[in-house]
């Protein structure tokens, strides 16, 4: 998509969200999220259906003898069948009727009935009494205008982007709760660009709304690969978040059948016990103290030490490593404390991971990237390919990247990375890995440290310990001149402070108080 078109879509996303949010009335962002995203999904599958339907009606090549109401014709094209009463055109013309809420709920039921892979996933909340029906009609009208007049394929791509944009905006509105289902795009981009999930099995054991999978699919497309070469596996313990994920995947044409849900979660009930993934990407809950670790003391996944029941960070790392294929690579976001903690033998587990030559790279992230926490975070990159396998042999080395000062403030509370920031971080890693790479240590940003240095630091993996402090740029002003200017300014400020103190005393005296 051209840059001009990208700008148009970005403007459309913002305009749509502002308009949709005005219609929220007395609903919380959490409930309204399901209303809006459900309608975007309904519009998407209806547009996809309509594209094939019109080919059949017009008897285009390959569809000369097809029946427009035959479910199998649409399954053959990997498109969901949409019954007449659930088609967007039907609902659009009923948008102003008092029954529109029930009409949409019935439409969702009808779609699930005809498409087994969607059963139990679509929201059926539109007839609820607290959902203002005139506003629902306006919302239907608003979403119905997305990409109006564009080709169906463009329309579908825009709908996918709108869905993703709305997920991020709702995560921002919901704050801490929003962070449970959405990982900011900047972080996902860094992870995917660095591990290069071109082809194979991609696994996320804490998949939220599926952002890691969507970005993997985008990455493959951008690098001219075949999307079908990527198979996604996931697990989620929150039913509502899992539904968002399945819709998010369906809207991108990704098979989500291996993305599972159960209430116990990945630790207590691993639904992919035999999976060995080529790529693992995850942003699990930070410092989770309620992960039932006391019930899993003898679990075979703890190959490098038993993680403490009070903190799941090293349980997540070992769970993911357990699911890595013999040449697999992974990226996992964790709290910065995971890099230095010595509590409850966590330091010994970290030491074992380093000595077993699994830790490839550590990236320290800046503050304010997340919607739900101010805790400083990092990304662990684990690799079973460090002995070569196309890259240079880098056993006994770890790359440290300190990106804690990278990025820009997108708004008052949230930081993001630019394209240049993402390229700088990922290219540094790739050049370090290459056999003929042009990697160089950059003071204050990156350092390739050997096992001797890491041992000297007692296996603490905080990048700041290794990369050092960036040299200040010499501005050419002699030190004596700088000090002279600073002391002059300080003297002026001290005089001004005395004047202000006297003024405060006088004002207090005027109202009967003496200092």
């Amino acid at each position: 998509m051209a840059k001009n078109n990208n700008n148009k879509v970005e403007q459309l996303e913002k305009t749509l969200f502002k308009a949709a949010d005005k219609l929220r009335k007395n609903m919380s962002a959490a409930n309204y999220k399901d209303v809006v995203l459900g309608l975007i999904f309904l519009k998407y599958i209806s547009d996809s259906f309509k594209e094939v339907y019109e080919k059949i009606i017009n008897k285009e090549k390959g569809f000369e003898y097809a029946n427009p109401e035959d479910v199998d014709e649409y399954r053959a094209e990997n498109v969901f069948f949409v019954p007449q009463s659930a088609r967007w055109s039907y609902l659009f013309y009923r948008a102003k009727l008092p029954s529109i809420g029930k009409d949409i709920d019935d439409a969702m039921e009808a779609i699930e009935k005809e498409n087994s892979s969607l059963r139990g996933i679509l929201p059926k909340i539109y007839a609820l009494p607290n959902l203002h029906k005139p506003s629902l009609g306006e919302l239907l009208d608003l979403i119905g205008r997305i990409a109006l007049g564009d080709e169906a394929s463009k329309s579908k791509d825009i709908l996918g982007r709108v869905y993703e944009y709305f997920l991020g905006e709702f995560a921002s509105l919901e704050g801490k709760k929003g962070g449970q289902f959405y990982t900011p795009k900047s972080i996902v981009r860094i992870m995917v660009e660095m591990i290069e999930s071109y082809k194979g099995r991609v696994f996320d054991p804490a998949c939220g709304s599926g952002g890691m999978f969507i970005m993997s699919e985008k990455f493959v497309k951008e690098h001219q690969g075949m999307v079908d070469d990527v198979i996604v596996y996931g697990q989620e313990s929150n039913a509502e978040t899992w539904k968002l994920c399945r819709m998010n995947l369906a809207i991108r044409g990704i098979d989500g059948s291996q993305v599972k849900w159960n209430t116990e979660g990945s630790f207590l009930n691993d639904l992919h016990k035999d999976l060995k993934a080529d790529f693992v990407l995850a942003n699990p809950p930070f410092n989770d103290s309620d992960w039932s670790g006391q019930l899993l003391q003898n679990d075979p996944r703890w190959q490098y030490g038993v993680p403490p029941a009070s903190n799941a960070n090293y349980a997540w790392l070992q769970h993911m490593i357990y699911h890595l294929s013999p040449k697999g690579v992974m990226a996992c976001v964790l709290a910065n404390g995971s890099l230095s903690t010595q509590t409850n033998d966590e330091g010994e587990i970290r030491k074992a991971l380093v000595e077993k030559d699994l830790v490839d790279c550590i990236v320290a992230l800046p503050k304010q990237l997340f919607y739900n926490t101010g805790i400083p975070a990092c990304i662990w990159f684990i690799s079973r390919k460090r002995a070569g396998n196309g890259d240079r042999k880098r056993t006994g080395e770890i790359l440290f990247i300190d990106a804690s000062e990278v990025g820009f403030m997108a708004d008052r509370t949230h930081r993001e990375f630019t394209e240049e920031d993402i390229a700088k971080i990922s290219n540094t890693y790739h050049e370090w890995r290459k056999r003929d790479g042009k990697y160089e240590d950059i003071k204050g940003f990156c350092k390739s440290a050997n096992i001797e240095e890491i041992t000297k630091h007692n296996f603490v993996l905080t990048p700041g310990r290794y990369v050092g402090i960036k040299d200040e740029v010499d501005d050419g002003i002699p030190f004596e001149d700088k000090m002279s200017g600073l002391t002059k300014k300080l003297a002026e400020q001290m005089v001004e402070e005395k004047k202000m103190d006297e003024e405060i005393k006088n004002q207090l005296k005027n109202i009967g108080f003496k200092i």
Side-chain angles (χ1 to χ4, degrees):
M1 196 181 278
K3 188 174 182 180
N4 192 38
N5 282 346
N6 266 327
N7 291 338
K8 283 181 182 177
V9 176
E10 284 169 12
Q11 193 57 48
L12 171 71
E13 291 165 349
K14 291 174 183 174
T15 304
L16 271 172
F17 189 81
K18 283 179 184 175
D21 198 43
K22 283 179 185 174
L23 301 173
R24 183 155 38 119
K25 303 293 181 188
N26 60 336
M27 294 189 79
S28 69
N31 292 332
Y32 193 60
K33 170 181 85 257
D34 297 329
V35 170
V36 177
L37 295 175
L39 284 181
I40 294 173
F41 181 78
L42 187 61
K43 176 71 162 67
Y44 166 80
I45 64 171
S46 191
D47 282 5
S48 302
F49 170 86
K50 185 182 175 185
E51 188 178 0
V52 177
Y53 182 84
E54 289 183 348
K55 286 179 181 178
I56 296 172
I57 292 294
N58 296 325
K59 298 194 179 298
E60 291 187 19
K61 188 175 180 181
F63 296 94
E64 295 91 340
Y65 306 103
N67 178 352
E69 298 300 330
D70 184 349
V71 176
D72 291 334
E73 297 291 351
Y74 299 90
R75 285 179 183 157
E77 297 299 313
N78 198 27
V79 166
F80 296 112
F81 179 79
V82 182
Q84 198 279 330
S85 63
R87 292 169 196 171
W88 192 266
S89 55
Y90 175 82
L91 296 169
F92 190 70
Y93 289 112
R94 298 176 65 82
K96 300 298 187 283
L97 297 179
S99 63
I100 185 59
K102 185 177 184 307
D103 291 337
I104 297 172
D105 281 350
D106 290 345
M108 296 295 190
E109 288 277 8
I111 290 167
E112 286 191 352
K113 188 176 178 181
E114 294 289 354
N115 303 277
S116 59
S117 64
L118 294 177
R119 280 177 197 161
I121 291 172
L122 305 185
K124 291 169 277 292
I125 51 177
Y126 298 91
L128 293 175
N130 66 329
L131 182 51
H132 188 246
K133 299 308 179 285
S135 296
L136 179 58
E138 289 180 57
L139 187 60
L140 201 73
D141 185 60
L142 185 70
I143 292 170
R145 297 177 189 278
I146 296 176
L148 204 63
D150 274 7
E151 299 168 25
S153 57
K154 287 182 184 175
S155 173
K156 286 189 292 183
D157 183 59
I158 291 169
L159 280 162
R161 284 189 54 171
V162 167
Y163 187 97
E164 190 180 331
Y165 177 81
F166 273 38
L167 272 173
E169 290 300 298
F170 280 122
S172 181
L173 282 175
E174 291 185 47
K176 187 172 182 179
K177 188 175 184 299
Q180 293 172 6
F181 68 80
Y182 185 80
T183 302
K185 196 183 296 185
S186 287
I187 299 170
V188 182
R189 279 286 308 278
I190 287 287
M191 295 165 76
V192 172
E193 290 285 343
M194 286 177 72
I195 73 171
E196 298 181 300
S197 45
Y198 283 119
K199 185 176 182 178
R201 293 154 297 190
V202 178
F203 178 48
D204 183 347
C207 63
S209 57
M212 302 290 181
F213 302 137
I214 302 305
M215 202 60 73
S216 293
E217 183 245 12
K218 279 186 182 177
F219 184 82
V220 172
K221 273 189 174 178
E222 285 172 11
H223 292 80
Q224 300 178 333
M226 298 294 291
V227 176
D228 291 344
D229 287 345
V230 174
I231 306 167
V232 302
Y233 297 81
Q235 187 162 340
E236 174 57 42
S237 60
N238 182 296
E240 297 309 310
T241 302
W242 172 73
K243 290 174 185 178
L244 289 178
C245 178
R246 290 295 301 270
M247 286 195 289
N248 200 8
L249 293 173
I251 214 169
R252 290 291 186 179
I254 301 172
D255 179 11
S257 60
Q258 293 302 318
V259 178
K260 310 288 187 179
W261 162 75
N262 68 3
T263 54
E264 300 102 314
S266 292
F267 293 130
L268 286 179
N269 189 359
D270 184 358
L271 296 176
H272 297 286
K273 287 185 177 65
D274 299 323
L275 173 67
K276 296 299 179 185
D278 302 294
F279 305 98
V280 178
L281 298 119
N283 173 26
F286 290 177
N287 302 324
D288 188 2
S289 61
D290 188 26
W291 66 283
S292 303
Q294 68 279 5
L295 304 176
L296 298 165
Q297 292 297 294
N298 299 311
D299 197 283
R301 287 171 290 185
W302 315 147
Q303 297 175 3
Y304 307 98
V306 179
S310 58
N311 193 312
N313 287 343
Y314 279 89
W316 280 116
L317 279 175
Q318 293 191 80
H319 173 73
M320 294 177 208
I321 292 169
Y322 181 82
H323 281 293
L324 269 186
S325 71
K327 293 183 181 179
V329 292
M330 70 175 247
C332 175
V333 186
L334 288 177
N336 266 5
S338 64
L339 300 173
S340 58
T341 177
Q342 303 291 348
T343 308
N344 297 317
D345 293 327
E346 288 174 307
E348 290 302 309
I349 300 174
R350 186 172 58 250
K351 177 183 176 184
L353 294 176
V354 172
E355 291 182 335
K356 293 295 182 181
D357 216 49
L358 288 165
V359 184
D360 205 34
C361 176
I362 300 289
V363 176
L365 296 171
K367 296 176 182 176
Q368 295 181 282
L369 275 181
F370 293 88
Y371 294 118
N372 62 325
T373 181
I375 297 174
C378 60
I379 310 175
W380 288 66
F381 291 88
I382 301 286
S383 177
R384 293 194 188 277
K385 296 174 65 177
R386 286 162 54 77
N389 296 310
D391 297 324
R392 73 176 181 87
K393 185 176 180 180
R394 52 195 186 278
T395 52
E397 300 174 45
I398 297 176
L399 176 64
F400 293 94
I401 298 176
D402 188 347
S404 58
E405 300 299 321
V406 176
F408 69 100
M409 294 304 292
D411 56 44
R412 190 173 54 84
T413 55
H414 297 129
R415 181 179 289 271
E416 292 181 9
F417 289 145
T418 64
E419 291 293 323
E420 291 75 20
D421 295 333
I422 292 167
K424 180 182 179 182
I425 296 167
S426 60
N427 289 344
T428 298
Y429 177 60
H430 294 150
E431 290 298 323
W432 176 76
R433 279 188 353 192
K434 286 179 186 175
R435 285 178 178 169
D436 57 349
K438 299 176 177 63
Y439 170 83
E440 288 182 6
D441 290 342
I442 300 173
K443 196 173 182 184
F445 178 67
C446 62
K447 164 77 174 178
S448 180
N450 58 36
I451 192 69
E452 288 78 17
E453 292 174 86
I454 295 162
T455 303
K456 190 174 74 174
H457 285 287
N458 198 24
F459 296 91
V460 168
L461 302 182
T462 307
R465 290 208 177 192
Y466 300 91
V467 303
I469 300 170
K470 185 178 179 180
D471 291 330
E472 288 190 18
V473 178
D474 187 357
D475 56 11
I477 302 172
F479 176 75
E480 292 78 9
D481 292 350
K482 276 187 186 178
M483 285 302 297
S484 175
L486 289 170
T487 51
K488 183 181 177 183
K489 188 172 182 180
L490 180 61
E492 291 170 356
Q493 289 173 341
M494 289 170 75
V495 170
E496 185 65 26
E497 184 184 10
K498 283 183 180 179
K499 287 180 182 178
M500 290 177 72
D501 287 344
E502 289 303 316
E503 180 63 25
I504 291 168
K505 286 179 184 177
N506 289 334
Q507 292 296 334
L508 287 170
K509 186 178 179 182
N510 290 338
I511 58 173
F513 294 94
K514 187 177 180 181
I515 295 179

